[in-house]
Amino acid sequence: MLVGLSMSELVSAMPTAGGIYYWSLKLGKPIHGWITGWLNLMGLIAVTAGVDFGLALFAQNAAAQYWKWFNPTNLKQTFLMFFVILLLHVVINVYGAKLIHQFQGVNVWWHVVGVATIILIFLIVPKQHESASWVFSHHINNSGFGSGNGKFWWYIFPLGFLLSQYTLTGFDASAHVSEETGGAALGAAKGLWKSIAYSGVAGWIMLLAMLFAITNPDAVTKGGGSSGAVIVTVLGLGIWAKLVFIISCVGQFLCGMSCVTAGSRMLFAFSRDRAVPGNKFFKKLDENRNPSNAAVGIAVAALVITLPALYAPKGAPGYPVAFFAVTSITVIGLFSAFAIPIYLRWRMGDKFVQGEWNLGKHWKWIAPLAVLEVAVVSIYFILPASPAAIPFRKGFAWTSFNYTPVAVIVIMGGALIWWFAGAKNHFKGPVRTIDS
């Protein structure tokens, strides 16, 4: 929330497409904008991969409950579904410009009504519920690390924040489409922090509803511990389970569509400023003035970074190591990109010209706490999630390895090499296109 509040102040003062790297450039130096832009682009590619691959996993698991053809342990089938979902999102972004705006409206209401419906189902349908003491005090550790010497609270528990942090990443879309938002200085700023607040509260209530409904945790663990396992264990395979599956799948599909939309805007803006390879191709607009080439670029990059999903750890054919990796890349990329302009704004102090929506004097403590939080989670999410993922340890397997740090080093290392090799001579920030 502190990160979102800090960003709301920034988008109010500087509403522009690709705004996050533009903020860093205006508040610091060109290299700050360059690094921020690449971190942000990396995060947007990864979040597209995470949402669409997550949908493929969830939909495949749900379908397998009703049709034998679907097999959650078939990695090629999972990847094929992921490819089809990505392709559909590209087609919608390329050929359905008018549909996107309609879908965005549906997206909001689908999540509001859908989440409320799921909460009510888990509160009303189960005949029994767990006690509050179990929900708030009992913990289950299936990581393989053990819980002794405070290991659960200082290592296992923080790793569990990955999906929560990942889920609350889409709020930066308000910045990327701020040029297309009427009254962006106020509207985009409010949309940004409110999306975090409402999603956080609603999501927490939904998680509590599901936890209270779990009266057979062993069955959930046997089913893989996923949300799909919770749904089937608690609701069976009847109409209520089908309704929850449908609501969830459609919601994830709409989220994935929005990720491609936001990512394509960012790639277009960054290409317009000659900051990515193939920028002449990605900055082209189609006849409807949509960045269609950029949408294709985002999808292809998302597909590439998820290729390790074709391989699974020995003895765990359905274990989604790649999903955890792309979600980690998402969090590190996006939140690190957020932290740079927040820090630069804090460094500027009272010289910063606040917009219509601002934090008053509270930026003095909100900004440094926001940056600290990003630094802490970025360290945690490059760490191994299981003993088999620890290099040089007995039992280590590359198929279990969290390749997040490798991906981040390759992408950001390449960006920095390019910067010092020549990009520093031509990248000066957003290129003016209005006159032309």
Side-chain angles (χ1 to χ4, degrees), residues 107-399:
N107 193 2
V108 173
W109 287 107
W110 188 272
H111 280 81
V112 171
V113 176
V115 168
T117 301
I118 292 174
I119 291 172
L120 288 174
I121 288 173
F122 276 95
L123 288 177
I124 297 174
V125 174
K127 295 181 180 179
Q128 294 181 322
H129 289 83
E130 278 289 357
S131 64
S133 62
W134 184 89
V135 170
F136 290 105
S137 64
H138 185 72
H139 65 262
I140 300 173
N141 177 12
N142 292 318
S143 67
F145 280 117
S147 302
N149 300 318
K151 190 180 295 183
F152 176 82
W153 295 110
W154 292 104
Y155 191 76
I156 309 301
F157 184 65
L159 287 179
F161 288 132
L162 170 60
L163 295 184
S164 298
Q165 192 100 13
Y166 157 74
T167 303
L168 294 172
T169 51
F171 58 85
D172 62 310
S174 296
H176 296 295
V177 297
S178 57
E179 281 188 5
E180 306 167 44
T181 304
L186 192 61
K190 286 186 175 180
L192 200 153
W193 75 262
K194 285 184 178 180
S195 67
I196 300 173
Y198 297 161
S199 297
V201 173
W204 185 64
I205 294 173
M206 185 174 71
L207 287 175
L208 286 179
M210 295 178 74
L211 287 171
F212 273 106
I214 299 174
T215 55
N216 189 353
D218 291 337
V220 175
T221 299
K222 187 177 180 180
S226 65
S227 56
V230 174
I231 294 169
V232 173
T233 301
V234 174
L235 303 175
L237 298 176
I239 183 64
W240 298 115
K242 292 178 182 177
L243 181 58
V244 173
F245 279 133
I246 291 171
I247 291 173
S248 301
C249 285
V250 173
Q252 290 176 79
F253 185 85
L254 292 173
C255 280
M257 179 200 70
S258 297
C259 288
V260 174
T261 302
S264 65
R265 267 56 176 180
M266 170 58 196
L267 180 54
F268 161 75
F270 218 30
S271 298
R272 180 183 59 189
D273 305 332
R274 298 183 297 166
V276 295
N279 54 77
K280 291 183 179 180
F281 174 78
F282 294 126
K283 72 178 182 180
K284 287 184 178 179
L285 299 175
D286 61 24
E287 59 185 13
N288 295 315
R289 298 197 62 75
N290 285 317
S292 298
N293 291 354
V296 173
I298 289 291
V300 171
L303 198 71
V304 170
I305 67 169
T306 319
L307 285 174
L310 290 169
Y311 305 92
K314 185 178 180 180
Y319 188 71
V321 173
F323 175 69
F324 295 130
V326 293
T327 51
S328 295
I329 296 169
T330 297
V331 173
I332 292 172
L334 292 181
F335 279 87
S336 295
F338 303 160
I340 294 174
I342 291 173
Y343 165 74
L344 292 172
R345 182 265 176 271
W346 177 79
R347 188 182 69 172
M348 182 174 282
D350 291 325
K351 294 180 180 179
F352 177 78
V353 180
Q354 295 178 318
E356 188 175 354
W357 193 98
N358 60 76
L359 296 173
K361 294 294 184 180
H362 295 292
W363 60 267
K364 293 182 178 180
W365 63 270
I366 290 178
L369 285 180
V371 173
L372 178 62
E373 190 269 344
V374 173
V376 171
V377 299
S378 295
I379 293 171
Y380 269 109
F381 297 157
I382 64 172
L383 298 176
S386 70
I390 303 176
F392 310 111
R393 185 183 185 275
K394 185 179 180 180
F396 168 73
W398 283 108
T399 50

